[in-house]
Amino acid sequence: MHHHPSVLIACVLSCTLSLPAQSITLDEALDAARSDNKEIKVATLELAQSQRENSVNDWLPSITLQLGTSASISIIDKTFNASYSLGGVTWSLDSANHAASKADRALSNESAQLAYQSKVNSVDSRVTTAYWNAEASRLAWKSRQSALERNQRELETIQDKFEAGTATTLSVSQAEMSVADAQYQTQIARQTYQSALTTLSNLTGLDIGEDAVFQEMPEGFSLKDRSLLTGDLEDTTTIKQYALTLARARQALVNKKSSGKGISVNVTAKTSFGDSIYSYRDSDGTWGFSDFADATSLGMTVSVPLDHLFQNSSTSIAIDSAQYDIQIAELNLQKALEDLQTDIEDAITSVEQAEANLLLLDRHLALAWKQLDLIQTSYDAGKSSFSDLEDAKQAVSDAELAKVQQQLNHTIALYDLATLLERPVTDLARYQ
C-alpha cells in the first residue's frame, strides 16, 4: 500500500499541531532553578567544604615517617660509626584550645548551613516573582487579544453595513482606528509577556515558549488569624543568622576568658626509633651494633595567665570588648525580630487589601460586561454612538487588566508572606 507524500506531510503537520502546550508548575520552576542556579551550586560547595574542614579530630596524633642517617670514619683510628633513625609520632593537646575549637567548628557548620538556606530562599523568591509575573503578563496579553478580536468583529460588521449602504465612511474609519489601536496594545502586551518569559527562563534554565501553561493564581484565599501566622519567628533563617551572631559573640567571650583567665594544661608526647652501627679498634676490627631503641619524651605544661588582673591590660580590654559585642548582638537580634514582625504584618495587610480589591473588581467587571452588552444592543439599533460603544469596550478591557494586576498583587503578597515565614502557602490558609 502506497501513501501519497502530501498525505504523509498533512498527517505529520496534524500530529505536530496537536501536541500539548508546555505545562510548568511553580514547584517545577523552583526545582529547575535550584539544580541550575550557579549561586546555589557555589553555596552547596561551600557547605560541603565547611563540613569537611570542621570534621577534624583533635585527638588524633601527628604521625610522620622519616628516615635519617649519619656516619663518621676515622682513618687513623680505623673506626667507623653510623646511626639511623626511623619514624616519629607526636601528640599534643591543649585543654583550652580543644574546647574552643570544638565549639567554633559547631558554630561554623551552622553558619554554612544558614548561608546555604539563605541563598536558596533568595533564589526561590526571585523565581516565584518571575513565575507569577509571567502568568499575569500572559493573562494581560490574552485580555488584549480578546479586545482585538472584538474590535475586528465590529470592523467586519461595519464594513458589511457600509457595503449595504447603512454605514458611513466615518464609521468604517473609526472601527479601523480601534482595530489599529488594539493591535498596538496587543503587541505591547505580547512583548511584556516575552520579557517575563525570558526572565523566568534565565532563572530556571528552562526553554519556556509563549504557549506555556502556568498554574492559576490563587483566588478565594482566606488567611489564618494573625496570631497563628506570627509565631515561631525564631525558626526563620533570618532570625537564626542573628542568633548565630549572638552565639558566636558569646563563644568569643568564653574563648577569651579561657585564654586570658583560665588555667590551661598542655600535654605533649613524642617518640622516635633508631640504632647505631660502629667498629672497634682491635686486632680483628670487630663490628658491632648498639641496641635498637626508642627515644620517647613526655611533657606537661600548666599555664596560669595573670594579665586579666590588670584593668588596662590587653586581655582585660579584649574581654570587655567581647562583652560589648554580646550586647550589640542581643540588640540586633531584638531589632531583627521586630523588623520581621513588621514585615509580616505589612504582608498580611497587603494580602487582605488585595482580597478586598478583588471582590470589588469582580463586581466591577461583571457590570462592565453588562454595560457593553446593553450598549452593543443600543448601537445595533442605532440609538448609541460608536464612541459610546468604544467607551464600553474600553471599560471591559480596563476592568480585565485591573483584575489581572490585582490578582498579581495578591499572589505576590501571599508568596512574600510565605517567604518571610518560610512556610508553604497552603499552611497560611484558614481552610485547606
Side-chain angles (χ1 to χ4, degrees):
M1 181 177 179
H2 299 282
H3 296 284
H4 194 277
S6 60
V7 176
L8 293 175
I9 293 174
C11 290
V12 172
L13 289 175
S14 176
C15 293
T16 301
L17 294 175
S18 64
L19 289 175
Q22 179 188 16
S23 177
I24 177 172
T25 65
L26 176 59
D27 287 341
E28 290 170 344
L30 292 172
D31 289 341
R34 291 167 187 164
S35 63
D36 183 71
N37 187 271
K38 301 298 186 298
E39 295 178 18
I40 291 182
K41 288 183 178 180
V42 170
T44 302
L45 292 174
E46 290 175 343
L47 176 59
Q49 180 186 41
S50 175
Q51 291 174 336
R52 180 57 183 155
E53 289 176 347
N54 292 312
S55 63
V56 176
N57 188 339
D58 291 332
W59 295 96
L60 290 177
S62 174
I63 302 175
T64 305
L65 178 61
Q66 296 177 330
L67 180 62
T69 183
S70 61
S72 63
I73 301 174
S74 174
I75 298 175
I76 296 176
D77 293 339
K78 297 181 181 181
T79 59
F80 172 79
N81 290 280
S83 64
Y84 68 92
S85 60
L86 175 66
V89 178
T90 302
W91 182 83
S92 178
L93 179 66
D94 187 294
S95 60
N97 289 338
H98 173 70
S101 178
K102 183 178 180 181
D104 289 339
R105 284 198 296 270
L107 291 174
S108 180
N109 266 335
E110 184 179 356
S111 176
Q113 290 169 350
L114 290 176
Y116 169 78
Q117 188 59 50
S118 177
K119 189 63 65 178
V120 171
N121 290 347
S122 175
V123 171
D124 284 358
S125 178
R126 296 202 301 270
V127 172
T128 299
T129 299
Y131 182 90
W132 294 121
N133 277 334
E135 170 61 0
S137 299
R138 186 191 68 81
L139 292 175
W141 180 36
K142 182 179 178 181
S143 175
R144 291 297 188 185
Q145 285 178 313
S146 298
L148 174 59
E149 291 170 359
R150 289 195 296 270
N151 287 334
Q152 288 173 330
R153 287 195 298 269
E154 187 63 34
L155 174 59
E156 292 172 0
T157 300
I158 292 177
Q159 286 174 334
D160 291 341
K161 290 181 178 180
F162 178 76
E163 293 176 359
T166 58
T168 65
T169 303
L170 177 61
S171 297
V172 175
S173 177
Q174 289 174 324
E176 289 175 339
M177 185 64 184
S178 296
V179 169
D181 182 64
Q183 287 174 333
Y184 172 73
Q185 296 295 337
T186 301
Q187 178 173 295
I188 295 299
R190 182 183 184 185
Q191 291 170 349
T192 302
Y193 177 46
Q194 290 171 336
S195 297
L197 289 179
T198 299
T199 300
L200 182 59
S201 295
N202 290 339
L203 286 171
T204 61
L206 300 174
D207 185 12
I208 306 174
E210 290 183 2
D211 61 342
V213 177
F214 301 95
Q215 65 187 67
E216 295 181 357
M217 289 186 281
E219 290 189 58
F221 199 96
S222 181
L223 287 176
K224 292 179 179 178
D225 293 336
R226 289 180 180 239
S227 59
L228 299 176
L229 295 174
T230 55
D232 301 327
L233 299 185
E234 291 81 2
D235 291 335
T236 61
T237 300
T238 299
I239 300 305
K240 283 182 178 179
Q241 288 176 321
Y242 280 95
L244 176 63
T245 301
L246 175 58
R248 280 186 155 173
R250 288 171 174 168
Q251 183 59 41
L253 177 61
V254 171
N255 293 347
K256 289 177 180 178
K257 284 184 175 180
S258 178
S259 62
K261 289 185 176 181
I263 298 176
S264 174
V265 179
N266 182 277
V267 179
T268 303
K270 182 177 181 180
T271 185
S272 61
F273 307 91
D275 198 357
S276 297
I277 306 172
Y278 56 90
S279 67
Y280 298 100
R281 187 186 179 196
D282 54 17
S283 58
D284 57 0
T286 302
W287 289 85
F289 292 87
S290 66
D291 294 332
F292 183 79
D294 66 286
T296 302
S297 61
L298 179 65
M300 183 178 71
T301 304
V302 179
S303 301
V304 182
L306 300 176
D307 283 355
H308 66 280
L309 299 177
F310 302 97
Q311 182 178 2
N312 293 325
S313 66
S314 59
T315 299
S316 296
I317 293 174
I319 292 174
D320 291 343
S321 178
Q323 290 172 334
Y324 283 121
D325 287 339
I326 291 175
Q327 295 176 26
I328 293 171
E330 288 174 340
L331 289 175
N332 284 335
L333 175 58
Q334 293 174 11
K335 185 178 184 302
L337 279 167
E338 293 170 358
D339 291 344
L340 181 57
Q341 181 75 36
T342 300
D343 291 341
I344 290 173
E345 292 287 347
D346 290 344
I348 292 174
T349 300
S350 296
V351 173
E352 293 173 343
Q353 289 176 343
E355 289 175 356
N357 292 339
L358 281 171
L359 291 175
L360 292 176
L361 284 171
D362 282 338
R363 183 171 180 273
H364 178 68
L365 180 58
L367 290 173
W369 273 111
K370 182 179 180 180
Q371 176 183 255
L372 177 58
D373 290 339
L374 293 172
I375 292 181
Q376 183 72 58
T377 301
S378 178
Y379 175 77
D380 293 340
K383 297 181 180 179
S384 296
S385 66
F386 184 81
S387 296
D388 292 335
L389 180 61
E390 284 298 294
D391 289 343
K393 289 191 291 186
Q394 187 62 46
V396 169
S397 180
D398 290 345
E400 288 179 338
L401 293 176
K403 182 179 178 180
V404 170
Q405 183 59 53
Q406 202 58 235
Q407 283 179 309
L408 177 61
N409 293 343
H410 172 259
T411 303
I412 293 298
L414 188 60
Y415 278 84
D416 281 347
L417 175 60
T419 297
L420 289 170
L421 295 172
E422 295 187 19
R423 293 161 62 182
V425 168
T426 52
D427 286 355
L428 311 184
R430 186 185 301 274
Y431 303 111
Q432 300 182 29

